[in-house]
Amino acid sequence: MKLLLLGGTAWLGHAVAEAALREAHDVTCLARGSAPAPEGARFVRADRDAAGALHEVSQERWDAVVDLASEPGQVRRAVRDLEPVAAKYVFVSSCSVYASHATIGADESTELLPPLEADSMAGMEQYGEAKSACENAVLDAFGEQRAAIVRSGLIGGPGDPTGRTSYWVRRFAAPSNEQEQVLAPDAPELPTAIIDERDLADFIVALATGGATGAFNALGDAHPLPAHLDAARAAAESSAEVVPAPETWLHKCEVTQWMGPRSLPLWFAARDWYGMNARSTERARAAGLTLRPLAETLGDSLRHELEHGIPNPHGAGLTDAEERELLAELARAQQ
Ligand SMILES: NC(=O)c1ccc[n+]([C@@H]2O[C@H](COP(=O)([O-])OP(=O)(O)OC[C@H]3O[C@@H](n4cnc5c(N)ncnc54)[C@H](OP(=O)(O)O)[C@@H]3O)[C@@H](O)[C@H]2O)c1
């Protein structure tokens, strides 16, 4: 099949292009050229912020377009230019489009955030509204029968540019103190989920080349945080001990949640966010989503980082010095 990837050169997009090439599809990637497209794909250089960016690709017919953008203006212009020449449009969205993350097991019919009216986000805090506006643009132009919307959960696996999904396996592989302790939030029921970018890429290609349409939650299997830590320890072949820290104490020490510097990745303290990583994936599974075991994703991520380096060494989690200091502080506080 003839597939146009709007993107296809960064992390997930590159994996989608590779997955499609493995299945012998004819793949074109359109991007500005910050990174190369995979070997075997045709590359079209264009900046989607320019009005006529898609002129060249809108002269051809496509079996499917896969769009990885988050800026509504880019998607509004793309569906306008490509609807006449593309049979199907697959939009890579996010579970951040949902208005609430309180319910565990919520499906795709849950209320969405209001769509962003502007063509560009003022900042990443508008990401959910922006993706919601992109979804609307795709559905308005292509209709339910010619569109597939992939609402992805947290993506992990080899090469995660944020370094956040590999934090725990990396911690177990290289503990920060001599006692081999790993500081973790005391949150035994916190759901975590990571979808491997390779599984997500295969699913996106299946949607682009198959008949399934509509919206799909695409998340990894939900594991409570202690099970994620067990999988990370096993993948790292580590015997390090988890030291659970009370959430209120972590707040007091200004440890942040989810991602970013001085954070404990995957941690959400607010119980009304516990549904974020535990949504129903029934529709996606019925449409062909298959997931590899978490331990495989974490083991492969660790091996990738050992070989290629940590992509964002200070971008996610605690540094060694921060973790050592916090462990010592917690031990003193608990005496
Ligand atoms: N990471 C997560 O946990 C997570 C969770 C849910 C959903 N998602 C979604 O998953 C997708 C991830 O995609 P990705 O890993 O491939 O990375 P990305 O950084 O979102 O992809 C950007 C792609 O678009 C191209 N691009 C950016 N600006 C452009 C412009 N002005 N004109 C033309 N092309 C442009 C980039 O190439 P150039 O820079 O060369 O132009 C690149 O190929 C995104 O849709 C993201 O929102 C991610």
Side-chain angles (χ1 to χ4, degrees), residues 72-317:
Q74 294 183 355
V75 177
R76 288 172 183 140
R77 287 188 292 276
V79 296
R80 177 199 66 197
D81 294 346
L82 295 172
E83 188 282 324
V85 295
K88 189 172 185 183
Y89 206 92
V90 179
F91 179 68
V92 180
S93 188
S94 162
C95 287
S96 298
V97 291
Y98 288 113
S100 162
H101 301 284
T103 307
I104 295 201
D107 69 15
E108 291 82 355
S109 64
T110 317
E111 185 189 349
L112 303 190
L113 287 170
L116 189 71
E117 283 181 24
D119 273 351
S120 302
M121 291 181 268
M124 281 310 280
E125 65 283 359
Q126 293 186 326
Y127 176 72
E129 284 87 350
K131 284 285 196 188
S132 176
C134 297
E135 289 193 9
N136 280 1
V138 172
L139 290 171
D140 285 351
F142 279 79
E144 294 264 353
Q145 298 312 310
R146 290 167 60 209
I149 307 286
V150 184
R151 294 190 185 134
S152 174
L154 180 66
I155 307 170
D160 173 4
T162 69
R164 61 190 167 181
T165 55
S166 49
Y167 173 76
W168 294 105
V169 69
R170 187 160 68 240
R171 255 294 150 241
F172 280 104
S176 66
N177 71 7
E178 280 177 7
Q179 298 97 301
E180 302 212 329
Q181 295 174 314
V182 169
L183 185 78
D186 187 9
E189 285 164 21
L190 170 69
T192 69
I194 293 176
I195 184 162
D196 191 297
E197 97 270 14
R198 297 164 294 185
D199 296 334
L200 183 57
D202 286 342
F203 180 54
I204 291 168
V205 173
L207 291 176
T209 57
T213 58
F216 301 90
N217 290 336
L219 295 85
D221 288 321
H223 299 281
L225 181 64
H228 180 94
L229 298 178
D230 285 346
R233 180 173 29 216
E237 298 178 7
S238 163
S239 53
E241 169 209 0
V242 173
V243 176
E247 292 175 297
T248 45
W249 180 83
L250 289 170
H251 291 314
K252 217 174 73 201
C253 297
E254 297 180 345
V255 175
T256 57
Q257 302 164 52
W258 188 240
M259 61 186 278
R262 199 177 167 81
S263 70
L264 287 176
L266 310 189
W267 173 39
F268 277 125
R271 299 308 187 258
D272 60 1
W273 275 76
Y274 269 29
M276 165 87 172
N277 291 306
R279 295 186 175 275
S280 167
T281 54
E282 213 173 296
R283 281 206 88 229
R285 285 168 187 277
L289 173 67
T290 54
L291 300 171
R292 70 195 67 212
L294 175 63
E296 186 180 328
T297 299
L298 297 179
D300 289 351
S301 299
L302 184 62
R303 275 185 287 282
H304 189 276
E305 289 187 359
L306 291 173
E307 207 175 308
H308 301 277
I310 306 165
N312 191 9
H314 305 300

Side-chain angles (χ1 to χ4, degrees), residues 44-59:
V44 175
R45 187 183 304 273
D47 183 346
R48 293 180 66 185
D49 288 331
L54 301 188
H55 177 77
E56 181 180 338
V57 293
S58 65
Q59 306 305 304

